[in-house]
Amino acid sequence: MSDAYANETRLVGSESTVYDRALDGVVSLTVVGFALALLALVEVVDLAASGAELGEAFLAVLAVTVGGVAVVGAFSWANVVPVTSDRVRGVAAGAVVSVVVLTAVAYSGPSLASMLGWLLVFEAAVIVAAGVASRVGVVETSPDASAGLLAGVAFAVLGLAVGAAVGGSALGFGSPLWIVVALSCGLALGALTVAPREDVGSTLPAGLVVGALGISIASALLNVGWTWSPQAISGGFTGGVVVPLFVLTGSLLSAWAAAKAREGFGAQGRQYGTFLVINLNALLMLVVMVAIVAFVAMKGVGYAFHGFSVGAATAFVATLPVLVVALGRARTPVGAEEWHDGARQLFRVLPLSAVGAVAALFASVAVTGTELAYAFTYTVQVNREPKVLDTAVSVTPDLTVGTLVLLFASVALFAGFVRRYGSLENVGERGSRVARVRSALPVVVGALGALSVAFVVAGPTPFGVPLAGTLGYGLVSAGALGAVALAVLPATTLLATDVETGLAERAVAVAPVLVVGTFGSLSVFAVVAVLQATAGVVPTVAGYAVVPLAAVVAAVAALGFAGIVAGARRDADASIRTRLLGEELTLSLSATAGFLAVVALHVAFTGVPFELGALSVSDAGSLSWPMTLQAYIPLGAEPGGILPAIVGTVWLVVGATTFAVPLGVGAAVFLTEYAEQGRFTNLVEVATNALWSTPSIVFGLFGAAFLIPRLGGDESLLAGMLVLGFMLLPLVLITSREAIKSVPDEYRDASAALGVDKWTTVRSVVIPAAMPGVITGVILGVGRIAGETAPLILVLGSTLNATEAADVLGGFRFVSTAPFVENPALLGASASLPTQVWAVIAAGVSGSPSMGWASAFVLLLVVLTFYAVGITARTIFRRKLDYE
């Protein structure tokens, strides 16, 4: 072998020998064959495909291969992603050549299964030739005396399996001779691995096994139509599964042997071979996991999105938080001198470009009034017979924004901007007017808040006096006007100052006015919105509600001030002034989002839509998703949706988390920080681990036998929450203990050195530092309990196609007897997504199987949503720790 690896910077074509190139090609072929087998296993490409059909599939593979190699090669050439290893370059070139050749062969007529078989035969031949070349000294290698006992045992087990399959098929499993054949093959293959020198022991056994697998496929002895149904089992094996598995096994063996030979055997060869096999196995696991999710999604996505439509304004508003997140990633200045800095900027800008393109698409629909629609069909069950219906996913030019969408987007934007906002203390000039406004604001807000509480306690007409219609009406109107005045004050002050002074200097000078105007107007708007709801009045002017109209004016003023500051910041030359203007820009944008949230709160509290020209905000919104926003309609032309099951699942997870997390974290704090480490804590740890490993059905039996008799005797939502909470508790305790243990003792010692007591140290230092680990445990636990079915069948019931969702929040009411609070919704049965899926698909209860698959798809979305919330919380805590 050449000494190419003595210098990793040499090019493949300059110093490498034919031996090196051939083995690089075999490694590439193993990766390509491995990928093709995965595609065939998940039925992306049919094993029986041939001719033009197979050629088109290979063209897609070729495009992916060439594109990936070209991108990496271009970045390597530009020194963005340096690739100096001959191995990487050789495998990349071999992958391109291999796919080009395979594409040409595919068009000549063979099936994919036949091509994969001959691919294994070719790999086996090259591997054996490499071993022989090394043994006779044609190339310079450094093999050990033996391939090792571990490799020998592995090949012996493999030979035992091959011998059992061959002997059982030829002689029959009823005859004991098949055992003799299996043992003989295993011992022979093991001896052939251990006895010779490493180069022969690593290549010859692998070549024999891979060649045998390839010949069995290429000769059609094992083809797509092949089946094997042993009498000992009820099922059987088919060629559609066995052929890809044979190719995957042969590819792993080929990769291992070729990688060892490419590195000249020895320690370096074993390292390279093991590394390659581990990565291919990781790829296999990743593909299997993605395939599971993709399979469920493909089965249920059509039914799940039947009748889905969204207005352009709603879609645009929902995109804004994502757009801001993408903007945060693209904040690095463009135009860096070094090209690789520009490439990093390119990758930071690409998400922003993609999200911006989507937002622009939604905006174009709103402006042009042209609907976007994608038509497809889905299947429902009518009188136990499948019926295909036409439907579509569409974006309509409707300019109505739903209250929840606007509230979620505006609150998310407000929280994001406020979190980035630092401080503008001791900036600018504070006048007496600003001081008076600052001192008066708490009094005004407190008075309006007290009046709201009075209306809640005494009603809108205390002692028969219509205070709500008079005093409440006037104070709501005056408060809204005052909030607008505060919101407009920064912009008017900026424009009224000396125009001869630079814009940036003037903007910095009005910082105190901006702070008071922003937080003051938001506070007044918030308390006015609450007062309006408690008083039951909606003041109007010229047909428009005063509060949302004032909030829109305030949002426009804040956005205008943000535009002025952005322009001033662009031209500012001093770094400190640039930072201060950035703080003002962030504060102005947060105020804009907050004022829009006031509009959403007004509509939510009053139930009265707010219209401003063609735009409107309404509880009804413009989002139509029957599968998730409707309940089941028994006699409808279309079956409706599974909203009650979604609501039930969300309440189950929320209730279980509320029950388990405080108990688990509290127990972890006690066991780690206070309890003496000894037999007791060890016993608790063993018991906790055992409890986490307990089958879920046992928790369900516990709930049915212990909880239900004590909760009214019937299946209930509360029983389901408690059972899932008991399942979640061990994992929260385990992960919380480990997270608390991982907090460095230096944190505790530093806090003690400052004279802080132990509980304050635990509460303010240890728990915040351990919170990312605690949240990780909660995320993992939620992923398990959200999909649990067996315990819910026992304690919650298997309500199918419910027509009403559990109203937990609205079900609370006070009573005169203990426990003085009752909630029928918690003590009644409820639908849930896991039981819905089980009832429709597994148990065969009346319902469309397509609806069952769609329910499984929605369950995945719900679990992923909980994951997203948990990951976001964990990221916030980690960043907070980093900043501190």
Side-chain angles (χ1 to χ4, degrees):
M1 188 187 78
S2 73
D3 59 349
Y5 285 92
N7 188 340
E8 289 290 315
T9 62
R10 294 178 182 176
L11 296 176
V12 173
S14 60
E15 298 290 341
S16 298
T17 64
V18 174
Y19 180 87
D20 297 326
R21 297 175 190 176
L23 290 175
D24 283 336
V26 171
V27 172
S28 303
L29 279 176
T30 60
V31 175
V32 172
F34 192 87
L36 291 174
L38 288 177
L39 293 176
L41 186 63
V42 297
E43 299 180 354
V44 174
V45 182
D46 190 0
L47 282 171
S50 61
E53 178 185 0
L54 182 59
E56 292 176 359
F58 268 96
L59 284 177
V61 175
L62 179 61
V64 172
T65 305
V66 173
V69 172
V71 169
V72 176
F75 286 135
S76 175
W77 174 81
N79 201 29
V80 179
V81 184
V83 179
T84 58
S85 173
D86 274 354
R87 289 173 294 182
V88 176
R89 293 174 173 178
V91 170
V96 174
V97 174
S98 300
V99 178
V100 169
V101 173
L102 290 174
T103 304
V105 173
Y107 276 102
S108 64
S111 65
L112 176 60
S114 177
M115 289 182 62
L116 292 176
W118 287 115
L119 195 65
L120 292 181
V121 173
F122 177 77
E123 293 170 2
V126 176
I127 290 170
V128 173
V132 173
S134 172
R135 187 66 182 86
V136 300
V138 175
V139 292
E140 182 182 351
T141 58
S142 55
D144 290 343
S146 171
L149 184 60
L150 181 61
V153 172
F155 274 103
V157 173
L158 190 58
L160 187 67
V162 173
V166 174
S169 301
L171 303 175
F173 287 99
S175 172
L177 294 178
W178 74 270
I179 301 178
V180 177
V181 175
L183 291 175
S184 301
C185 290
L187 292 175
L189 206 59
L192 188 59
T193 305
V194 176
R197 205 171 70 170
E198 185 187 13
D199 47 8
V200 176
S202 297
T203 57
L204 187 57
L208 290 175
V209 175
V210 173
L213 295 175
I215 290 174
S216 65
I217 299 172
S219 64
L221 178 65
L222 184 66
N223 55 28
V224 180
W226 176 86
T227 58
W228 180 40
S229 301
Q231 297 180 355
I233 60 177
S234 59
F237 302 91
T238 63
V241 174
V242 176
V243 169
L245 292 179
F246 273 24
V247 177
L248 291 174
T249 304
S251 298
L252 289 174
L253 287 176
S254 299
W256 174 76
K260 289 189 69 176
R262 178 64 173 88
E263 283 292 283
F265 305 101
Q268 192 171 356
R270 287 192 294 272
Q271 181 182 5
Y272 185 25
T274 304
F275 176 79
L276 191 60
V277 170
I278 290 174
N279 277 272
L280 288 175
N281 272 294
L283 175 63
L284 174 62
M285 295 300 102
L286 179 63
V287 169
V288 169
M289 290 187 292
V290 172
I292 292 173
V293 176
F295 180 79
V296 174
M298 291 173 64
K299 282 280 191 178
V301 69
Y303 190 102
F305 281 93
H306 74 270
F308 180 91
S309 67
V310 61
T314 297
F316 180 82
V317 170
T319 309
L320 289 179
V322 185
L323 187 66
V324 172
V325 172
L327 180 62
R329 290 184 56 85
R331 291 180 63 186
T332 302
V334 182
E337 294 182 0
E338 297 183 11
W339 193 91
H340 63 275
D341 290 337
R344 293 195 193 101
Q345 180 59 37
L346 172 64
F347 282 108
R348 288 195 177 104
V349 170
L350 283 178
L352 177 63
S353 176
V355 179
V358 173
L361 177 65
F362 295 148
S364 68
V365 173
V367 172
T368 62
T370 303
E371 178 179 308
L372 295 178
Y374 169 72
F376 61 97
T377 61
Y378 71 108
T379 304
V380 298
Q381 206 83 357
V382 178
N383 296 327
R384 299 186 178 181
E385 294 293 333
K387 182 179 180 181
V388 179
L389 300 178
D390 295 325
T391 187
V393 172
S394 58
V395 179
T396 67
D398 191 346
L399 298 182
T400 300
V401 181
T403 306
L404 290 179
V405 174
L406 180 59
L407 184 62
F408 171 80
S410 56
V411 169
L413 291 173
F414 177 79
F417 285 127
V418 167
R419 185 175 177 274
R420 294 177 183 175
Y421 170 69
S423 175
L424 288 173
E425 291 292 330
N426 302 322
V427 178
E429 301 176 358
R430 287 184 175 83
S432 58
R433 184 176 60 175
V434 174
R436 287 195 298 270
V437 172
R438 185 191 292 269
S439 60
L441 276 174
V443 178
V444 174
V445 172
L448 294 177
L451 185 59
S452 300
V453 174
F455 281 135
V456 171
V457 175
T461 56
F463 308 107
V465 180
L467 291 180
T470 54
L471 181 62
Y473 191 97
L475 289 178
V476 168
S477 303
L481 294 178
V484 169
L486 287 173
V488 176
L489 185 61
T492 57
T493 303
L494 176 62
L495 297 176
T497 53
D498 186 5
V499 294
E500 295 182 358
T501 308
L503 183 60
E505 296 178 1
R506 285 186 286 154
V508 172
V510 300
V513 180
L514 175 64
V515 173
V516 173
T518 297
F519 291 109
S521 59
L522 285 174
S523 302
V524 174
F525 265 127
V527 72
V528 163
V530 174
L531 176 61
Q532 180 179 241
T534 57
V537 296
V538 181
T540 59
V541 56
Y544 295 101
V546 171
V547 173
L549 181 62
V552 170
V553 174
V556 172
L559 189 61
F561 186 85
I564 297 174
V565 171
R569 185 172 182 265
R570 183 176 179 274
D571 298 330
D573 51 359
S575 59
I576 184 64
R577 189 174 296 160
T578 302
R579 187 189 68 79
L580 294 176
L581 291 174
E583 297 291 350
E584 291 188 353
L585 177 61
T586 303
L587 185 59
S588 300
L589 292 175
S590 65
T592 304
F595 294 140
L596 293 178
V598 171
V599 177
L601 288 175
H602 164 82
V603 177
F605 287 160
T606 64
V608 179
F610 173 70
E611 297 182 356
L612 186 62
L615 293 172
S616 66
V617 180
S618 171
D619 283 336
S622 59
L623 174 64
S624 175
W625 192 356
M627 185 67 186
T628 61
L629 300 180
Q630 293 182 4
Y632 187 73
I633 306 174
L635 301 179
E638 294 189 1
I642 54 171
L643 178 62
I646 298 174
V647 173
T649 300
V650 171
W651 278 119
L652 285 171
V653 173
V654 171
T657 305
T658 304
F659 168 73
V661 171
L663 291 179
V665 175
V669 169
F670 171 76
L671 293 172
T672 307
E673 299 292 329
Y674 292 95
E676 182 179 353
Q677 303 303 309
R679 293 183 178 179
F680 171 72
T681 55
N682 292 336
L683 179 62
V684 171
E685 184 173 358
V686 172
T688 305
N689 291 329
L691 192 61
W692 171 243
S693 303
T694 303
S696 60
I697 190 65
V698 176
F699 286 95
L701 292 172
F702 163 77
F706 181 81
L707 294 178
I708 288 181
R710 291 161 177 80
L711 295 175
D714 296 322
E715 299 165 335
S716 65
L717 184 62
L718 180 59
M721 291 178 177
L722 293 176
V723 167
L724 295 183
F726 282 121
M727 293 179 60
L728 179 61
L729 182 60
L731 182 61
V732 174
L733 176 56
I734 294 170
T735 55
S736 299
R737 285 195 65 188
E738 295 300 323
I740 294 173
K741 288 180 181 179
S742 66
V743 176
D745 289 336
E746 288 80 1
Y747 286 22
R748 302 176 177 85
D749 296 339
S751 180
L754 296 174
V756 180
D757 62 89
K758 188 175 183 61
W759 167 240
T760 304
T761 299
V762 172
R763 182 190 63 198
S764 303
V765 177
V766 177
I767 293 180
M771 193 56 66
V774 174
I775 296 176
T776 300
V778 175
I779 293 172
L780 295 175
V782 166
R784 177 187 177 185
I785 65 173
E788 283 293 345
T789 306
L792 295 183
I793 294 175
L794 296 176
V795 300
L796 184 66
S798 56
T799 304
L800 177 66
N801 298 335
T803 57
E804 292 184 2
D807 185 12
V808 175
L809 292 179
F812 284 101
R813 60 173 178 261
F814 295 98
V815 294
S816 58
T817 58
F820 306 108
V821 179
E822 65 179 15
N823 190 333
L826 284 176
L827 298 179
S830 172
S832 68
L833 288 171
T835 55
Q836 173 95 15
V837 175
W838 171 82
V840 175
I841 295 180
V845 180
S846 177
S848 172
S850 298
M851 188 176 189
W853 286 110
S855 301
F857 173 72
V858 174
L859 176 59
L860 284 176
L861 296 181
V862 171
V863 173
L864 291 176
T865 302
F866 282 117
Y867 280 171
V869 172
I871 292 172
T872 302
R874 183 178 62 186
T875 302
I876 291 174
F877 276 101
R878 283 180 175 174
R879 288 180 177 176
K880 184 177 180 180
L881 291 175
D882 292 340
Y883 292 156
E884 293 178 351

